[in-house]
Each structure stands twice: as structure tokens, then as C-alpha cells.
């Protein structure tokens, strides 16, 4: 089994993005592999997000204090600083440069040594050079990759990536182009309107190019640095809300070095209303008055009310845009593009794009090398009603062999877009049709890399003009063609394509867009958990209002799972709290069922209290805070109780000293809770940071109870990290504190139990015997069967690993006699171990399988992992190679899942198969 195997990400680990990042790092030096296989190669924002960080001063080369490794680090670092890099390599190298070292490990150094050396080192060799335990190395590496993920997502800002429509040669639009440009140069508000398919967006793109004075031949980075225009296309459910527009404007102005609004949004978003945002935009535009930007809003008529309804969100956004149009902008013009007018126009500032006349039709066909006589040209003009899009599709049909132009009589009546699409499908191969269908579910330009293995059909569709390459890494369909194709998709096919699009978005870090596609793909559960894992990043990028619309759409009405419904309610309520919609948030919480004593229920109470307080119902809010405390598990209650007590003491009794004392104790309990969370997730090194902080607070408080408990927790943690000497020191300190306040059970019995556990974890089985025996003697005297059985089982395991089958069986039988379910699976696999030592393989196999079944029934994943490893050893010694291989693989997977990377490595190192 290879140590470089990348296991799939689980729901608890995050998302597909984390698995994609790990896999990409495994091949970071192989540009060809990245181009052909990494989904991250398709991310369009390399220049937008990574460029600024890449231009930042180079950080110091990390140091580990180990001469040989530091010399290697310097060489690798310098190589990657100076070598030519692909866009993806530059993105990830830039992110590595920004990762901060942790208290427990130098994350940048660990990432460079593990992934960026060429050739890649064997991880076993690297672990020995680092002089750390295997478990420590794997845990630190996982934390380093998580830190890198945060930097990558922060750099990319994928949910805020700015649009940049590609400019293309125009036919018959020179006059209107110059007229609109002249109007824009006066700094006013200009409207460009016209029917669908007339080329409004193409004209707008040409205007932006002219405004920025950027040549089409300039490279992408140059365009980003010199771009002086802001472009936003309103898309239903995604970009047509005020929250998104303000964030997008702030991000654009930030890139132009006018960062006031952006800094406010990233630090105090709750204090920013539309009025303050507009004032800050005006201030930024004043700073940019010497090079005023052009602001373009495409598909602006989407915000207009229909005959029966007017969205409240659209009303809010229209009001904001109207204020923007009326306010001083220091020469920065506005361009609204759509089929209808959005705001009241000024005289002479509305430009209507007209249909083609015969000369334009003739020029379009001539550009495509298709000859037209006057009669046929007039027939085409009548047939397409002068619509450039339909004329272009007619050219495409002609290139495909459709004899329409050869028989002008067939052009007698007007054609519809659906007719053109149907005729086109007759001439396209199944692969070309599938590609068009896959692309039409994306209502914005899609990453070209999604279809990197479909080069031939893609090239043909581009040649036919049905697909456009907006940038080297972006593809799109004409909006009207996309909409027509989408309408024609059968329901089941449409859902499947949206699900595929969602997975692609999740792999690339566009999590709100992934949730949107999962919802349309009839997979609301995936939308919930994908977005939930990255909700903080998405909210920081202005996606709160977009997400709220997604998660309150009809697609979530029929969720079957109670856990999913609770997660949905928490997401919606949290977003409502952020957006000030207290009644909607309360309604969302009321729609789910909340069992007592569940973490989700206490979170529900907290959110309900916040929403009630926002509404002004303070008494009901306090009642929900109290109910939330009752719903918490016992370990959570002291924290919130102390915080509440501190608040009451400060604001009611005005006793600051007493309030501070409560806050200090609450801080200790918070650090312990955070450590518990990290430990349960398998993040042992991160847990240690929180536990050590709690230890510092406990020393300050001079509380012997807290000092005893936190030392015991640290001792057990260090045992799991295989730092046995540190574990023994902490456990001895815990015993002393327990003894100081008279807790003999913990001072003697539990301390020795934990010492035995620490030695077992480290593989020092002979050393585990004495403390286990002392604990057994103590608990026998007190007649405590539970603690007695645990120590007898540990003693049995120690003897089994020392090869003493007789003693192992004797102590395992004694432990089983107490009938404590907690040790049943452990004793069974220890007995299986003993039978293997005796060569009684059939009995050993049965006992190990019984242990696995028992562990699965009780949810004891720890015992299950060791039982699987013991079963593998039985099959190996028995000569059943394939069965052994399967058992060892299951054991390895279980150990990795538990964060027991040292045991996972032992499975590989001791498994010869």
C-alpha cells in the first residue's frame, strides 16, 4: 500500500476542494499532470487573486534549526522563487509564501519539504530527518495543508471574481460605438438598449476595451492591472441582490487601490448600510478622479418588476443604483445594458441598438467567406428579421451543409431561435451535442479545463461559432443560444448536468455557485453540507444574500433527513441574522424539530435569542439563552454560564473585578472546549495549543481542580501523540494536584491507568505492566468494576504484544467477567492475538471477526481498527495473502480516519504484502 495514496475527503473534513488541493500538491512539480488532471488548473482568477500577493515582498526563508534540512529548504525555496511556473504553480507557490508558521510547527517549511522538493522525498526519510513522531508529522502536515487552503481561497476570492467580457470585432456598430463613448466621456449615465441577439454585450465589451485603452493582444495580467472598468451581469438568484453588488464594487475599488469600503466590509460588515456604502464609494471615486473608472451593469432590465410581482430585493437594488446614478461620481460614468430601460434616462443618453440592414448582413456573410447575391441577402434579412445572432446561426447552418441559402425560396417566412437550434442538432455529433448541453447549465463563462479531454468536439464548436473562448481558461455560449438549449433539456438530463456542474464548482472553491447547481440538480443535501463547510469564507465574500435566496428556494421543501432539515434551518437563521431579517430567521427555526441535549439544539437557542433580541424582545431572548444552557452537554454549560454571570456582574452589580474573574475562568473552559473539538476531529496538535493555553489560565487561577484536570487531559493527548515522556510528566503533575485536594481515586487509580495507556500507545509494553497492575490493585480494593476491567484489558494487551499468550488470555478473561461493554471488543481481539501466537488460526479468525462485529455494533472505531490489524496479522501468519491484504487495508483506513497515523504507518511498515 502506497503511503502517497490520497483518500477521498469526508463530509467532516471539508469539501471536494480540500481533496483536490491535496492531490494537486502531490503533483505540484509536474506541469503536464496539472494541466491534464488538476481541477484547479481551470480556476480563472489566477491573475486576479494571486497577482497582488505575488508582487508582495518575499518573506524570509523558513528555518527548522536543523542544518541539513535548512540548507535543503534554502535551495528548494530559491529554486521555486526563480523557476518558470505555470499559473497554477504560481498560485500555490504564492500561497505557500503567505502561510504563517504555527506555534507547534513551521507550516511553510513542512509544505516545501514534503511537496516541493524534486524529486519528492520518501515521507519516512523526512520524518526521521525532522526527528518527530509519525503521528506528529502527519497531523502537522494536515494542519499545514488546511492553512494553505485558507490562504488559497482568500487569494482567489472566487465568489468575487470580476467579470471581463471579451471584446470581438464588430460589424456595423462603429457609429453607435463612437456616440456612446462620447457620452460616457462626459461622466454621465448612459443606457444601451435593444432586443435579444443584437450584440449589446459585445458592444459593451468593446466600450470597456476602448475605455481602458487595452489592446486585445495584451496579456491577461496586463489587462487586470490596467483595467479601468467594472462589469457586472445581473443573473437571477446569483448576482441580482444588493449585498453582492456592494461587495463586488468594494472589491473592484480595492483593486484600484481605493480600499476604504473593502476594509470596512472585511472588518465591520454589520455596521455598513447602503447609505454608508454609497458615501464610501463616492469617497473612493474622488480618490480616482484623475483616472475615473467606467461602471457597466449588463442585463439591467432583470431588476424591473414583471406584471404581477416585484421582488423586494430588486426594489432595494434599484434604489441603490438610482442613488448611484444621481450622486456625484467625479467623472466615472455608468452604463446600463438591457432590453428595457432600468432608470429614468437623461436626454440624449439612451442609445438603441438597431437590427441589421442589408449592408450589415452582407458584411457579416462576407466576413465568413459566404457569398450572397442581392436577392439572397434580402431573403436572409427578411428571414432573420435583421437579428445578427440569427444571421450568424444561418451562416453556421450553411457551413454544416444545410442548403437553405442555396434555395432562397426556403427563406420565405421568419425563423425562430428554437428552429435554428433544432436544425443545428441534426448536424452535430452526439459528443458535440453533449458538450453544448453540459455548457448550457452554466449561465456565466465556465472554466475551459472542465472539458480538457474533449478537445476535438470543443474545437469544432468554437470553429462553428457556437462556443466562444472568452479567455484562455474560459468558455461561454451566446446568452440567447444558452437559454434556448437549456429550455430544450429534458428534466432528468438537466438535473444531472447541474449536479456535475456543482461538483466542478466545489472542486474549484466556488461554494455558493456549487450550492446553486446542487439545488437545481435536485441534490439539496449536498448544497447544504458543501456550503456549510465554507460558510465563513462565502459570507466574507458577500454571498450571504445570494445564499439565503438559494436555501429558501422551493428545492429545499422536501428534505427527508431530520439532520439535514436542522442544518438548513441553522444556515437560514444565521444568514437572516446577518441580513437583519429576524422574523424570517425565527420562522426557519420553527420549521425544524430540535431534540433535547443536542449541540444543534443549543445553537438553535442561541440563534433564536439573537433574532429575538434584534426584534427587541429581550425577555424572550434571555429565556432562550437559558433554555440553550439546559440543552447543552454538561461540558458546555460552565462556559456560557460563566460568561452570562460575568455580564450580569459587570452591568448589573458593576463589579468589574468579579466579572473579570468569571471571564478568566470562562476563557479556561473555552480553551478546553476548543481543544476537545480539535481532539475529537483528530487534530491533536491543534488541540494541544488550546490545552496549553488552558493550562496557563489554570496556573493563573491557582485552581487545583482545573490544574489537575488539564494536566490529565494533556497527558492523555501526549500519549496519543506518542510523546510518552511528556505524557508521564503531565500525568504525574495531575496526580499531585488530585492528591492536593483529596481526590484519591484520580490521584492513584486514574493516574496509573493513564500512565499504562501512554506506554501502550508508544509501544513500550513492558513499561505499561507496572502502572496497570497498580491501578488494578487500587480499583479492586474500591470494587470499581468499570475502571478495573479497563486496566485488566490494557494489561492483557500489553502481555499479548510481549508474546505472552497465557498472561494475555488470563487478564482478558478477567476483564470480560465484569461484563463491561466498553472493553468487550478489545478483549476479543486480544484473545485473537493470543490464539495467533499459539498457531490456532481458525479460533483467532473467529475471535477477531467477533471483535470487529462488536466494535461496529457499539460504535467503537478505536477497537475496530486494532481488531482489523490483528485479523490481518492472523491471515498473514496463516498464509492467506489476499485476505491479509484486505484486512490490513481496512485497518490502515481506520487508523488514518482516527488520526492514528503512527499505527497506520506501522501497518504499512510491518505488512510485507
Amino acid at each position: 500500500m502506497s503511503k502517497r495514496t490520497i483518500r477521498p475527503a469526508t463530509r467532516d473534513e471539508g469539501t471536494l476542494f480540500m481533496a483536490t488541493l491535496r492531490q494537486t500538491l502531490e503533483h505540484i512539480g509536474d506541469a503536464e499532470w496539472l494541466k491534464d488532471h488538476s481541477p484547479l488548473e481551470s480556476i480563472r482568477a489566477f491573475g486576479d487573486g494571486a497577482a497582488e500577493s505575488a508582487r508582495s515582498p518575499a518573506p524570509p526563508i523558513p528555518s527548522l534549526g536543523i542544518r541539513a534540512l535548512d540548507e535543503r529548504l534554502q535551495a528548494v525555496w530559491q529554486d521555486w522563487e526563480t523557476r518558470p511556473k505555470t499559473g497554477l504553480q504560481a498560485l500555490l507557490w504564492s500561497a505557500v509564501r503567505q502561510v504563517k508558521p504555527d506555534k507547534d510547527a513551521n507550516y511553510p517549511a513542512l509544505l516545501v519539504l514534503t511537496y516541493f522538493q524534486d524529486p519528492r522525498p520518501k515521507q519516512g526519510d523526512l520524518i526521521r530527518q525532522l526527528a518527530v513522531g509519525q503521528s506528529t508529522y502527519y497531523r502537522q502536515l494536515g494542519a499545514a495543508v488546511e492553512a494553505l487552503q485558507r490562504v488559497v481561497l482568500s487569494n482567489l476570492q472566487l465568489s468575487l471574481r470580476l467579470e471581463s467580457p471579451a471584446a470581438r470585432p464588430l460589424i456595423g456598430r462603429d457609429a453607435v460605438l463612437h456616440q456612446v463613448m462620447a457620452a460616457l466621456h462626459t461622466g454621465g449615465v448612459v443606457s444601451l438598449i435593444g432586443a435579444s441577439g443584437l450584440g449589446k454585450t459585445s458592444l459593451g465589451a468593446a466600450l470597456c476595451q476602448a475605455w481602458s485603452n487595452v489592446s486585445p493582444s495584451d496579456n491577461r495580467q496586463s489587462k487586470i492591472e490596467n483595467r479601468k472598468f467594472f462589469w457586472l451581469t445581473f443573473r437571477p438568484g446569483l448576482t441580482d441582490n444588493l449585498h453582492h453588488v456592494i461587495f463586488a464594487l468594494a472589491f473592484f475599488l480595492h483593486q484600484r487601490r481605493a480600499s476604504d469600503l473593502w476594509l470596512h466590509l472585511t472588518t465591520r460588515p454589520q455596521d455598513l448600510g447602503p447609505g454608508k456604502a454609497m458615501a464610501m464609494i463616492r469617497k473612493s471615486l474622488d480618490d480616482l478622479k484623475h483616472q475615473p473608472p467606467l461602471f457597466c451593469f449588463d442585463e439591467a432590465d432583470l431588476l424591473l418588476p414583471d406584471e404581477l410581482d416585484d421582488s423586494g430585493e430588486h426594489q432595494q437594488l434599484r434604489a441603490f443604483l438610482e442613488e448611484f446614478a444621481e450622486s456625484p461620481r467625479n467623472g466615472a460614468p455608468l452604463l446600463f445594458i438591457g432590453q428595457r430601460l432600468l432608470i429614468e434616462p437623461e436626454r440624449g443618453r439612451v442609445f438603441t441598438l438597431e437590427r441589421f440592414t442589408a449592408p450589415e448582413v452582407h458584411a457579416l456573410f462576407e466576413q465568413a467567406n459566404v457569398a450572397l447575391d442581392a436577392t439572397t441577402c434580402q431573403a436572409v434579412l427578411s428571414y432573420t428579421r435583421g437579428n445578427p445572432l440569427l444571421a450568424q446561426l444561418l451562416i453556421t447552418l450553411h457551413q454544416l451543409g444545410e442548403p437553405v441559402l442555396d434555395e432562397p425560396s426556403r427563406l420565405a417566412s421568419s425563423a425562430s431561435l428554437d428552429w435554428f437550434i433544432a436544425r443545428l442538432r441534426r448536424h452535430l455529433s452526439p459528443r458535440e451535442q453533449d458538450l453544448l448541453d453540459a455548457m448550457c447549465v452554466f449561465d456565466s463563462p465556465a472554466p475551459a479545463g472542465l472539458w480538457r479531454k474533449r478537445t476535438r468536439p470543443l474545437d469544432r464548436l468554437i470553429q462553428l461559432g457556437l462556443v466562444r473562448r472568452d479567455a484562455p481558461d474560459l468558455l461561454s455560449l451566446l446568452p440567447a443560444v444558452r437559454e434556448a438549449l437549456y429550455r430544450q433539456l429534458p428534466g432528468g438530463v438537466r438535473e444531472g448536468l447541474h449536479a456535475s456542474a456543482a461538483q466542478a464548482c466545489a472542486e474549484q472553491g466556488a461554494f455558493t455557485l456549487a450550492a446553486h447547481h446542487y439545488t437545481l440538480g435536485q441534490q439539496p443535501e449536498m448544497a447544504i453540507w458543501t456550503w456549510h463547510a465554507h460558510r465563513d469564507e462565502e459570507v466574507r465574500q458577500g454571498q450571504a444574500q445570494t445564499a439565503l435566496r438559494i436555501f429558501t428556494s422551493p428545492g429545499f421543501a422536501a428534505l427527508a433527513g431530520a439532520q439535514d432539515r436542522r442544518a438548513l434551518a441553522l444556515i437560514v437563521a444565521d444568514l437572516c441574522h446577518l441580513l437583519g431579517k429576524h422574523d424570517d430567521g425565527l420562522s426557519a427555526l420553527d420549521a425544524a424539530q430540535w431534540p433535547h441535549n443536542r449541540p444543534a439544539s443549543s445553537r438553535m437557542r442561541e440563534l433564536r435569542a439573537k433574532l429575538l433580541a434584534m426584534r427587541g424582545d429581550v425577555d424572550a431572548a434571555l429565556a432562550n439563552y437559558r433554555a440553550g444552557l439546559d440543552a447543552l452537554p454538561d461540558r458546555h454549560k460552565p462556559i456560557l454560564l460563566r460568561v452570562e454571570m460575568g455580564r450580569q456582574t459587570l452591568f448589573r452589580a458593576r463589579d468589574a473585578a468579579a466579572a473579570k474573574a468569571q471571564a478568566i475562568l470562562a476563557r479556561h473552559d473555552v480553551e478546553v472546549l476548543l481543544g476537545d473539538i480539535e481532539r475529537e476531529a483528530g487534530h491533536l496538535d491543534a488541540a494541544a495549543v488550546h490545552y496549553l493555553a488552558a493550562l496557563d489560565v489554570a496556573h493563573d487561577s491557582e485552581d487545583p481542580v482545573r490544574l489537575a484536570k488539564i494536566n490529565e487531559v494533556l497527558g492523555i493527548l501526549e500519549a496519543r501523540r506518542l510523546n510518552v515522556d511528556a505524557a508521564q510528566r503531565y500525568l504525574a503533575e495531575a496526580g499531585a494536584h488530585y492528591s492536593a485536594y483529596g481526590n484519591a481515586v484520580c490521584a492513584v487509580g486514574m493516574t496509573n491507568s493513564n500512565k499504562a495507556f501512554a506506554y501502550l500507545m508508544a509501544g513500550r509494553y513492558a513499561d505499561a505492566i507496572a502502572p496497570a497492575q497498580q491501578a488494578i490493585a487500587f480499583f479492586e480494593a474500591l470494587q470499581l468494576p468499570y475502571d478495573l476491567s479497563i486496566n485488566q484489558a490494557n494489561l492483557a494487551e500489553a502481555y499479548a504484544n510481549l508474546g505472552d499468550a497465557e498472561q494475555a488470555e488470563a487478564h482478558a478473561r478477567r476483564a470480560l467477567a465484569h461484563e463491561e461493554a466498553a472493553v468487550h471488543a478489545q478483549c476479543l481481539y486480544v484473545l485473537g492475538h493470543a490464539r495467533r501466537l499459539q498457531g490456532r488460526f481458525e479460533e483467532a479468525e473467529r475471535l477477531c471477526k467477533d471483535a470487529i462485529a462488536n466494535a461496529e455494533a457499539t460504535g467503537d472505531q478505536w477497537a475496530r481498527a486494532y481488531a482489523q490489524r490483528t485479523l490481518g496479522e492472523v491471515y498473514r501468519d496463516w498464509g492467506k495473502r489476499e485476505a491479509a491484504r484486505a484486512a490490513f487495508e481496512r485497518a490502515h483506513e481506520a487508523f488514518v480516519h482516527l488520526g492514528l497515523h503512527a499505527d497506520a504507518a506501522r501497518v504499512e511498515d510491518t505488512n510485507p504484502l
Side-chain angles (χ1 to χ4, degrees):
M1 183 182 298
S2 170
K3 292 183 180 179
R4 303 193 186 200
T5 299
I6 302 174
R7 63 189 175 87
T10 65
R11 187 173 78 179
D12 295 334
E13 287 179 306
T15 59
L16 288 167
F17 185 82
M18 188 64 172
T20 299
L21 179 59
R22 287 181 181 274
Q23 192 174 37
T24 299
L25 287 170
E26 291 280 346
H27 300 274
I28 189 62
D30 188 345
E32 288 301 315
W33 188 95
L34 297 177
K35 179 181 177 182
D36 293 337
H37 299 289
S38 175
L40 297 186
E41 184 71 27
S42 302
I43 291 179
R44 65 174 282 197
F46 291 140
D48 291 17
E52 185 174 342
S53 58
R55 292 194 299 268
S56 62
I61 299 175
S63 173
L64 292 167
I66 302 172
R67 182 175 179 180
L69 287 180
D70 284 346
E71 290 176 353
R72 185 63 178 152
L73 260 175
Q74 289 192 11
V76 176
W77 192 278
Q78 292 293 351
D79 173 46
W80 275 87
E81 283 284 280
T82 57
R83 67 158 60 181
K85 294 180 279 289
T86 67
L88 179 54
Q89 288 173 330
L91 170 75
L92 293 181
W93 178 248
S94 173
V96 168
R97 294 164 83 245
Q98 298 171 70
V99 171
K100 303 297 183 185
D102 187 72
K103 296 177 182 178
D104 192 48
N106 194 318
Y107 289 166
L110 199 58
L111 290 165
V112 171
L113 290 173
T114 301
Y115 296 114
F116 288 82
Q117 292 193 68
D118 187 18
R120 286 275 308 281
K122 293 183 177 180
Q123 287 178 297
D125 293 341
L126 182 56
I127 291 168
R128 284 189 288 274
Q129 290 176 296
L130 289 167
V132 297
Q134 290 173 320
S135 176
T136 299
Y137 165 78
Y138 285 114
R139 185 49 51 205
Q140 289 177 348
L141 180 61
V145 176
E146 289 178 2
L148 180 67
Q149 174 192 236
R150 290 191 291 271
V151 174
V152 170
L153 291 173
S154 176
N155 284 350
L156 289 175
Q157 300 279 2
L158 288 178
S159 293
L160 284 171
R161 54 190 178 186
L162 298 173
E163 296 181 65
S164 184
R168 296 178 173 85
L170 299 177
I171 291 178
R173 303 303 189 193
D174 288 345
V176 70
L177 175 69
H178 288 105
Q179 292 169 5
V180 175
M181 182 60 72
L184 292 173
H185 273 296
T186 66
V189 179
V190 176
S191 296
L192 177 63
I193 61 174
S196 177
L198 297 186
K200 300 183 297 297
T201 299
S202 296
L203 181 58
L207 290 164
C208 289
Q209 177 183 298
W211 188 269
S212 294
N213 194 27
V214 174
S215 168
S217 62
D218 287 348
N219 63 42
R220 177 173 173 77
Q221 187 54 47
S222 173
K223 289 182 181 181
I224 291 165
E225 292 175 350
N226 296 302
R227 181 170 57 193
K228 301 183 182 68
F229 67 89
F230 169 86
W231 184 287
L232 188 143
T233 303
F234 293 118
R235 296 186 172 92
L238 291 174
T239 62
D240 58 333
N241 65 78
L242 179 58
H243 208 65
H244 177 88
V245 171
I246 289 177
F247 267 82
L249 287 167
F251 189 58
F252 167 74
L253 293 169
H254 171 61
Q255 289 195 330
R256 303 295 303 155
R257 304 295 188 268
S259 300
D260 289 353
L261 179 58
W262 179 251
L263 294 175
H264 198 105
L265 284 172
T266 54
T267 55
R268 302 189 307 279
Q270 68 279 3
D271 299 333
L272 188 69
K276 184 180 288 188
M278 184 60 68
M280 298 181 80
I281 290 171
R282 286 197 294 265
K283 169 62 169 59
S284 295
L285 293 180
D286 187 56
D287 295 339
L288 299 173
K289 60 186 175 184
H290 298 298
Q291 287 187 318
L294 166 64
F295 293 89
C296 301
F297 297 93
D298 197 8
E299 303 289 350
D301 54 307
L302 175 69
L303 305 182
L304 293 170
D306 59 28
E307 295 181 359
L308 299 176
D309 187 32
D310 188 10
S311 161
E313 290 181 353
H314 286 180
Q315 290 179 20
Q316 188 181 38
L317 181 50
R318 285 203 308 272
F320 179 84
L321 292 174
E322 287 169 0
E323 183 180 357
F324 192 19
E326 294 169 1
S327 66
R329 295 184 305 281
N330 288 291
L334 264 65
L335 175 62
F336 291 105
I337 303 173
Q339 297 186 40
R340 295 182 293 162
L341 288 171
L342 176 67
I343 63 173
E344 186 73 24
E346 298 180 26
R347 185 174 181 180
R349 292 184 177 274
V350 178
F351 298 88
T352 302
L353 212 56
E354 302 294 345
R355 297 175 181 273
F356 273 6
T357 60
E360 284 97 22
V361 169
H362 190 275
L364 181 65
F365 275 72
E366 186 177 47
Q367 184 185 65
N369 295 317
V370 179
L372 285 184
D373 57 37
T375 302
T376 307
C377 181
Q378 193 60 43
V380 168
L381 184 64
S382 174
Y383 190 66
T384 63
R385 302 181 303 282
N387 187 294
L389 172 59
L390 297 183
Q392 182 61 57
L393 291 176
L394 197 58
I395 293 172
T396 302
L397 282 175
H398 177 74
Q399 292 172 335
L400 290 170
E402 186 81 22
V404 178
L405 297 179
D406 300 332
E407 303 173 19
S409 60
R410 298 181 61 184
L411 302 175
S413 60
S414 298
S416 68
L417 180 57
D418 286 339
W419 179 89
F420 276 101
I421 299 299
R423 301 295 292 188
L424 283 169
R425 285 191 180 277
R426 294 184 182 183
H427 298 279
L428 298 177
S429 70
R431 295 186 68 194
E432 291 163 351
Q433 293 190 51
D434 289 346
L435 187 53
L436 283 177
D437 290 343
M439 294 182 67
C440 78
V441 301
F442 290 89
D443 55 2
S444 59
L450 298 182
W451 302 286
R452 60 164 65 91
K453 296 181 180 179
R454 304 191 196 182
T455 305
R456 292 181 64 184
L458 181 59
D459 287 345
R460 185 161 186 261
L461 291 174
I462 292 174
Q463 182 183 11
L464 291 171
L466 297 176
V467 173
R468 292 187 171 186
R469 193 176 288 278
D470 294 297
D473 58 338
L474 287 176
L475 300 171
S476 68
L477 301 171
L478 290 170
V481 173
R482 188 200 71 80
E483 293 168 7
L485 288 167
Y486 189 78
R487 285 196 305 269
Q488 295 176 10
L489 287 177
V493 173
R494 181 183 299 178
E495 292 166 6
L497 292 172
H498 273 299
S500 297
Q503 180 171 328
C505 293
E507 287 176 338
Q508 297 177 25
F511 304 113
T512 300
L513 192 57
H516 168 74
H517 283 293
Y518 274 130
T519 304
L520 294 176
Q522 301 297 308
Q523 295 186 18
E525 297 85 358
M526 288 297 297
I528 290 169
W529 295 108
T530 297
W531 197 84
H532 183 270
H534 292 280
R535 60 193 182 281
D536 292 338
E537 293 105 315
E538 294 298 285
V539 166
R540 282 194 293 269
Q541 295 178 50
Q543 297 302 295
Q545 198 165 359
T546 302
L548 181 60
R549 183 183 290 185
I550 291 171
F551 290 113
T552 53
S553 64
F556 292 87
L559 281 174
Q563 185 180 6
D564 297 328
R565 290 196 298 273
R566 287 191 288 272
L568 174 64
L570 292 176
I571 287 174
V572 171
D574 197 20
L575 292 170
C576 286
H577 175 251
L578 288 170
L579 297 169
K581 300 184 177 185
H582 43 76
D583 289 335
D584 291 342
L586 292 169
S587 297
L589 294 177
D590 290 339
Q593 295 183 344
W594 304 96
H596 192 59
N597 288 333
R598 293 281 185 87
S601 298
S602 57
R603 173 64 176 153
M604 177 273 293
R605 294 291 184 184
E606 178 188 356
L607 279 172
R608 183 181 292 279
K610 288 180 178 179
L611 292 163
L612 288 167
M614 179 186 292
R615 194 171 68 179
D617 197 342
V618 178
D619 290 338
L622 289 173
N624 275 273
Y625 276 125
R626 297 188 190 100
L629 289 174
D630 292 337
L632 283 172
D634 290 340
R635 68 175 182 172
H636 295 179
K637 292 180 181 178
I639 299 171
L640 296 182
L641 284 171
R642 290 194 182 282
V643 171
E644 187 60 26
M645 289 166 62
R647 285 198 183 105
Q648 295 295 328
T649 304
L650 178 62
F651 295 113
R652 297 292 177 87
R654 298 295 177 184
D655 187 342
K660 184 177 180 180
Q662 293 295 338
I664 289 172
L665 294 176
R667 179 185 165 201
H668 170 275
D669 295 340
V670 166
E671 293 291 351
V672 171
L673 176 58
L674 290 172
D676 291 346
I677 292 169
E678 296 291 353
R679 184 196 64 203
E680 292 299 318
H683 305 158
L684 304 188
D685 296 336
V689 173
H690 291 296
Y691 288 145
L692 287 170
L695 179 61
D696 290 339
V697 179
H699 278 301
D700 292 340
S701 70
E702 298 181 351
D703 182 346
V705 177
R706 280 182 166 77
L707 281 167
K709 187 61 181 175
I710 192 60
N711 273 286
E712 180 183 13
V713 167
L714 278 164
I716 296 171
L717 183 74
E718 292 300 332
R720 289 184 65 180
R721 297 168 82 196
L722 305 186
N723 299 329
V724 66
D725 293 332
Q728 298 300 331
R729 288 196 302 272
Y730 282 121
L731 293 172
E733 186 74 8
H737 288 298
Y738 280 129
S739 181
Y741 74 91
N743 189 337
V745 172
C746 290
V748 179
M750 294 307 300
T751 297
N752 280 297
S753 294
N754 291 328
K755 286 182 176 179
F757 170 77
Y759 285 128
L760 278 176
M761 287 297 297
R764 291 169 56 175
Y765 303 112
D767 292 331
I769 290 175
Q773 289 175 333
Q774 292 176 41
I776 288 170
F778 181 84
F779 289 125
E780 277 182 337
L782 296 180
Q783 296 184 347
L784 297 175
Y786 178 82
D787 300 291
L788 187 58
S789 67
I790 288 176
N791 282 278
Q792 286 170 332
N794 286 340
L795 189 59
E797 188 158 2
Y799 277 120
N801 282 285
L802 289 169
D804 192 334
E806 183 176 347
Q807 286 281 11
E809 181 171 358
H811 288 286
R813 296 291 184 193
R814 291 182 190 131
L816 286 169
H818 297 293
E819 298 183 349
E820 293 290 343
V823 300
H824 201 89
Q826 182 184 5
C827 291
L828 286 173
Y829 76 70
V830 168
L831 288 171
H833 194 152
R835 291 290 178 268
R836 179 181 68 82
L837 294 174
Q838 296 165 345
R840 297 158 64 179
F841 297 117
E842 290 184 357
E843 288 183 59
E845 178 190 32
R846 176 181 56 78
L847 287 163
C848 289
K849 286 185 174 181
D850 288 345
I852 293 168
N854 182 271
E856 289 175 344
T858 59
D860 188 349
Q861 299 302 315
W862 189 290
R864 176 178 169 273
Y866 285 103
Q868 287 283 7
R869 185 180 72 179
T870 306
L871 181 61
E873 293 168 344
V874 170
Y875 285 134
R876 181 194 61 198
D877 292 356
W878 200 356
K880 296 188 175 184
R881 298 175 61 84
E882 289 304 316
R885 188 193 306 276
F888 279 131
E889 288 179 351
R890 286 191 290 269
H892 182 273
E893 181 181 2
F895 283 130
V896 171
H897 180 72
L898 290 167
L900 300 176
H901 296 288
D903 284 294
R906 287 191 193 119
V907 169
E908 293 180 343
D909 293 339
T910 60
N911 175 17
L913 302 176

